[in-house]
């Protein structure tokens, strides 16, 4: 039994280094991915398990520095130096912590001792160069980096240091070359990529900066700071959809950041992601109920989502705080149009036109609203403006003519219809309206000619133009009857009764016309049809009696 316990103890003690190593490996991976706090917890446990584990101590110190805790990092560094004076990590960590604590002279002293104890360790030479840089001793920094390069030309940190020196001397192109060399040797350097991205931004090389942030996110998909900077960059470049996507990554962990949320709202809105834009705007309004940008974004999103009444409610709140622009005034007008409130529609569109009279896209719709309100004069004025902005817009000529017709200004209506028909000679309704206007001008023959044109071009589509054809055939027939041209009247009468077989009056006219041209059998059938439709029709019975007597 005692032997078994001894064996288990030996196994347990033997496993401790393995557990510690596992923690260190996981901690390094977390640190690389930007999860510094989680990494710190693992490194602390590794040190607690073995206080003399110099690797665990070194990573613990690095993580404390990453979390901007230089005092604690310096304490760990001193433990490392005490544990092993030949280990350069302790000196390196101490110098970095002292630099952050603004104690450069002490950093020099630590590095001098470290270089002596480690026989000019490359990493310490690089750190010495960085301390020189921090104290604006650029030339001395270059010397230190050059000495490091002589010992190990494949150390990525020395090239980063040289890059920093060149940038500080104003030769950024040379500096970027050194940074690229450093990345070639160690592509996992996130901080260096941030540094390069910032330089690209300063030089307005936005595409290169964007690529650098993207490379960071490929390495650290959860790196919210890189996501934020990338989102801002896309925002400045007006690449709305990528901006919204990047900003969303940051906002998952920072829902309280109102300013970034407002950027997200604008990016979503401009990329036509209206449901998401509305949700983001509502989130901002929960934090600040009267945030103007959020109110406006909500109003616009609701407009595009066709929630017109709610959209105008948000517009109303925004208008109490700020001035509405032309496009938003137009949208409010559209909202009212969908709500069938033509009066308010025209009020807001007039306000839009007062700010910018060249809004030709709403002339026609505004005119249509006036037509529904039977304000023919205002409607005609709007259609006139539409024609002035687009002289080829046939519908505007037609509707302008209809307004003038209602105002009994028939010559103007006739002129507008003539212009429309010049552009669209086979436009059925154009000829139909022209015929009607001509009847109101008492131009009977001209009206009949127009109605005959209507009949000719509309007859192939009887179902579509049923009403136009009936009125055309009726007018043509009656005008020929008034001229006592009975043979000419028969065809339009027959075609009318085909379209409307239940019109007793037109059947009576047809019967009487048949009789006038001596087609008595056809007349008899037509009179009988009238009697079937109206059994007490005296004219039909009289016609049948006359036919009977003539036989």
């Amino acid at each position: 039994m005692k032997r078994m316990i001894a064996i288990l103890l030996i196994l347990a003690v033997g496993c401790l280094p393995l557990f510690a190593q596992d923690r260190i490996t996981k901690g390094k991976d977390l640190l690389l991915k930007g999860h510094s706090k989680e990494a710190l917890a693992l490194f602390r446990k590794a040190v607690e398990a073995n206080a003399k584990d110099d690797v665990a101590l070194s990573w613990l110190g690095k993580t404390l520095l990453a979390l901007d805790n230089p005092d604690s990092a310096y304490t760990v560094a001193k433990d490392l130096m005490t544990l092993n004076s030949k280990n350069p990590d302790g000196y390196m960590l101490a110098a970095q912590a002292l630099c952050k604590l603004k104690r450069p002279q002490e950093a020099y002293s630590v590095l001098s001792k470290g270089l002596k104890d480690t026989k000019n360790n490359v990493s310490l030479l690089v750190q010495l160069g960085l301390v020189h840089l921090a104290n604006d001793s650029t030339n001395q920094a270059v010397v230190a980096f050059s000495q490091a390069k002589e010992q190990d030309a494949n150390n990525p940190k020395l090239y980063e240091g040289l890059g920093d020196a060149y940038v500080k001397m104003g030769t950024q192109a040379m500096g970027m070359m050194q940074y690229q060399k450093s990345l070639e040797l160690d592509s996992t350097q996130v901080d260096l990529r941030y540094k390069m991205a910032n330089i690209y931004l300063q030089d307005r090389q936005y595409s290169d900066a964007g690529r650098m942030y993207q490379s960071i996110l490929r390495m650290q998909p959860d790196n919210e700071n890189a996501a934020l900077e990338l989102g801002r960059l896309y925002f400045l470049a007006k690449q709305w959809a990528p901006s919204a996507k990047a900003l969303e990554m940051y906002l998952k962990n920072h829902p309280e950041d109102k300013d970034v949320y407002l950027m997200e709202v604008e990016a979503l809105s401009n990329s036509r992601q209206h449901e998401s834009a509305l949700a983001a705007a509502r989130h901002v309004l929960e934090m600040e109920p009267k945030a103007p940008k959020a109110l406006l974004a909500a109003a616009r999103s609701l407009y595009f989502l066709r929630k017109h009444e709610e959209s105008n409610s948000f517009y109303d709140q925004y208008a109490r705080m700020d001035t509405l622009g032309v496009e938003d005034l137009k949208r409010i007008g559209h909202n009212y149009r969908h709500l069938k409130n033509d009066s308010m529609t025209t009020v807001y569109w007039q306000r839009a036109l007062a700010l910018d009279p060249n809004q030709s896209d709403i002339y026609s719709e505004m005119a249509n609203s006036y037509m529904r309100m039977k304000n023919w004069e205002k409607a005609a004025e709007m259609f006139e403006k539409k024609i002035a902005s687009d002289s080829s817009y046939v519908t505007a000529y037609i509707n302008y003519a209809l307004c003038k017709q209602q105002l009994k200004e028939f010559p103007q209506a006739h002129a507008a219809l003539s212009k429309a028909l010049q552009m669209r000679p086979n436009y059925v309704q154009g000829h139909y309206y022209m015929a009607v206007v001509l009847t109101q001008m008492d131009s009977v023959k001209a009206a009949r000619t127009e109605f005959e044109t209507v009949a000719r071009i509309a007859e192939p589509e009887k179902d579509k133009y049923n009403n136009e054809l009936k009125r055309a055939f009726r007018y043509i027939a009656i005008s020929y009857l008034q001229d006592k041209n009975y043979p000419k009247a028969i065809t339009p009468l027959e075609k009318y009764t085909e379209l409307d077989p239940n019109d007793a009056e037109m059947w009576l006219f047809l019967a009487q016309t048949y009789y006038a041209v001596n087609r008595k059998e056809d007349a008899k059938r037509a009179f009988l049809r009238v009697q079937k439709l109206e059994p007490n029709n005296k004219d039909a019975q009289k016609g049948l009696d006359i036919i009977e007597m003539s036989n």
Side-chain angles (χ1 to χ4, degrees):
M1 184 66 179
K2 290 181 179 179
R3 186 181 178 191
M4 181 63 71
I5 293 171
I7 291 171
L8 290 172
L9 284 170
I10 291 168
L11 288 172
V13 172
C15 286
L16 284 174
L18 293 176
F19 289 138
Q21 187 61 42
D22 186 50
R23 288 192 184 106
I24 292 169
T25 302
K26 287 182 179 178
K28 287 164 66 176
D29 185 55
L30 285 167
L31 193 61
L32 182 64
K33 291 178 178 177
H35 302 302
S36 303
K37 289 182 180 179
E38 293 88 338
L40 180 66
L42 286 174
F43 293 138
R44 282 194 192 281
K45 287 180 180 178
V47 171
E48 287 168 7
N50 183 5
K52 294 184 177 182
D53 186 340
D54 57 351
V55 176
L57 279 167
S58 178
W59 280 105
L60 176 61
K62 291 175 184 176
T63 308
L64 287 165
L65 274 179
L67 289 167
D68 202 23
N69 191 345
D71 285 306
S72 297
Y74 184 50
T75 301
V76 172
K78 286 190 290 185
D79 291 341
L80 262 174
M81 289 186 289
T82 302
L83 185 66
N84 183 359
S85 64
K86 303 294 184 183
N87 186 343
D89 288 355
Y91 301 104
M92 172 89 73
L93 186 59
Q96 291 172 342
L98 288 165
C99 282
K100 280 203 169 189
L101 292 167
K102 310 294 184 187
R103 293 154 62 181
Q105 291 305 318
E106 290 178 65
Y108 280 127
S109 298
V110 167
L111 287 171
S112 296
K113 185 177 185 309
L115 287 166
K116 181 180 178 181
D117 289 346
T118 62
K119 297 181 180 179
N120 287 340
N121 176 271
V122 173
S123 297
L124 295 184
L125 283 170
V126 171
Q127 187 59 45
L128 179 61
L130 294 174
V131 173
H132 283 310
L133 272 180
N135 286 282
D136 296 324
S137 300
T138 310
N139 292 330
Q140 288 176 278
V142 172
V143 171
F145 293 134
S146 299
Q147 288 175 340
K149 188 175 181 181
E150 288 175 7
Q151 291 200 42
D152 182 5
N154 292 321
N155 186 305
K157 288 298 179 183
L158 75 85
Y159 292 102
E160 181 182 357
L162 278 171
D164 290 344
Y166 285 127
V167 168
K168 203 156 195 173
M169 289 188 287
T171 54
Q172 289 188 341
M174 288 289 292
M176 293 300 270
M177 288 174 62
Q178 300 302 318
Y179 292 152
Q180 289 290 357
K181 176 66 176 175
S182 181
L183 282 180
E184 287 172 14
L185 294 168
D186 180 6
S187 62
T188 65
Q189 299 179 85
V190 171
D191 289 342
L192 177 55
R193 291 176 186 273
Y194 268 120
K195 190 184 296 183
M196 293 174 72
N198 287 331
I199 292 172
Y200 283 134
L201 284 175
Q202 290 168 13
D203 291 345
R204 298 185 179 181
Q205 298 179 45
Y206 300 121
S207 297
D208 290 326
R211 280 193 287 272
M212 198 55 66
Y213 287 127
Q214 287 170 340
S215 71
I216 294 170
L217 287 168
R218 281 194 293 272
M219 295 165 57
Q220 298 180 347
D222 298 329
N223 190 316
E224 58 192 35
N225 290 324
L228 175 60
E229 295 304 325
L230 183 61
R232 283 174 170 160
L233 192 60
Y234 280 133
F235 191 89
L236 290 171
K238 297 185 178 180
Q239 295 184 37
W240 306 117
S243 176
K245 186 177 179 181
L247 293 173
E248 183 183 7
M249 293 172 61
Y250 169 82
L251 289 169
K252 283 178 183 176
N253 295 322
H254 298 276
E256 77 293 340
D257 195 330
K258 187 187 71 175
D259 292 335
V260 176
Y261 243 110
L262 285 170
M263 287 175 63
E264 172 79 344
V265 168
E266 189 171 345
L268 287 166
S269 183
N270 288 334
S271 58
R272 300 183 180 181
Q273 299 179 61
H274 301 301
E275 288 278 7
S276 299
L278 178 61
R282 289 190 191 279
H283 179 80
V284 173
L285 291 169
E286 286 175 7
M287 293 186 279
E288 185 183 338
K290 293 184 178 180
K293 289 183 178 179
L295 288 170
L296 188 60
R300 289 171 177 172
S301 296
L302 287 162
Y303 166 79
F304 287 111
L305 292 169
R306 300 185 179 182
K307 296 179 180 179
H308 304 292
E309 191 167 1
E310 195 176 358
S311 171
N312 275 355
S313 173
F314 278 96
Y315 270 126
D316 184 53
Q317 292 178 66
Y318 175 80
R320 293 174 199 153
M321 291 178 283
D322 209 340
T323 304
L324 289 161
V326 172
E327 292 302 318
D328 289 306
L329 289 168
K330 285 160 63 177
R331 289 183 187 119
I332 295 171
H334 281 295
N335 282 335
Y336 277 119
R337 180 173 61 81
H338 285 289
L339 295 168
K340 302 187 185 308
N341 188 335
D342 287 311
S343 177
M344 291 301 293
T345 296
T346 55
V347 166
Y348 278 93
W349 282 348
Q350 283 287 14
R351 286 177 60 185
L353 289 173
L355 291 176
D356 183 358
N358 298 316
Q359 299 298 308
S360 59
D361 58 313
I362 60 170
Y363 289 150
S364 289
E365 290 192 75
M366 196 167 177
N368 290 333
S369 290
Y370 280 128
M371 286 183 80
R372 286 190 290 271
M373 294 164 65
K374 298 188 176 1
N375 190 336
W376 308 112
E377 194 167 343
K378 281 283 188 182
E381 180 186 330
M382 286 296 114
F383 282 126
E384 205 165 14
K385 287 184 177 181
K386 181 63 181 177
I387 290 167
S389 69
D390 183 1
S391 60
S392 64
Y393 191 51
V394 172
T395 304
Y397 287 98
I398 297 292
N399 287 328
Y400 173 80
L402 294 177
C403 293
K404 289 298 183 180
Q405 179 191 9
Q406 291 293 330
L407 294 167
K408 302 190 184 306
E409 297 176 11
F410 302 122
Q412 292 94 321
H414 182 274
L417 289 166
S418 296
K419 183 69 176 177
L421 291 170
Q422 285 175 18
M423 291 184 279
R424 286 180 63 182
N426 291 321
Y427 185 32
V428 172
Q429 288 177 317
H431 286 287
Y432 176 79
Y433 295 137
M434 176 68 91
V436 173
V437 167
L438 287 167
T439 64
Q440 293 171 314
M441 296 173 72
D442 295 327
S443 300
V444 178
K445 289 186 178 180
R448 184 172 68 201
T449 300
E450 280 300 321
F451 275 126
E452 285 173 338
T453 302
V454 171
R456 175 175 54 80
I457 60 179
E459 201 166 7
E461 298 181 80
K462 290 180 182 179
D463 292 338
K464 183 177 179 180
Y465 296 111
N466 184 276
N467 291 331
E468 289 86 350
L469 283 168
K470 283 198 297 183
R471 181 162 182 182
F473 288 134
R474 182 184 183 91
Y475 189 90
I476 295 165
I478 291 173
S479 69
Y480 279 128
L481 289 175
Q482 288 173 339
D483 290 346
K484 301 189 185 309
N485 189 340
Y486 302 118
K488 283 274 193 179
I490 287 175
T491 297
L493 284 168
E494 288 175 336
K495 290 187 174 182
Y496 181 95
T497 53
E498 285 177 20
L499 293 170
D500 189 355
N502 297 318
D503 190 325
E505 182 185 37
M506 294 303 284
W507 275 107
L508 182 62
F509 288 161
L510 179 57
Q512 291 169 340
T513 306
Y514 279 144
Y515 184 80
V517 296
N518 203 28
R519 291 171 58 179
K520 294 179 182 177
E521 286 302 316
D522 290 329
K524 183 177 179 180
R525 282 193 294 273
F527 281 128
L528 289 170
R529 177 72 180 189
V530 175
Q531 281 193 324
K532 185 176 180 180
L533 294 169
E534 294 181 359
N536 298 321
N537 191 298
K538 294 179 181 180
D539 291 326
Q541 185 58 53
K542 182 179 178 181
L544 288 169
D545 291 343
I546 291 172
I547 292 171
E548 188 65 30
M549 288 171 59
S550 66
N551 289 333

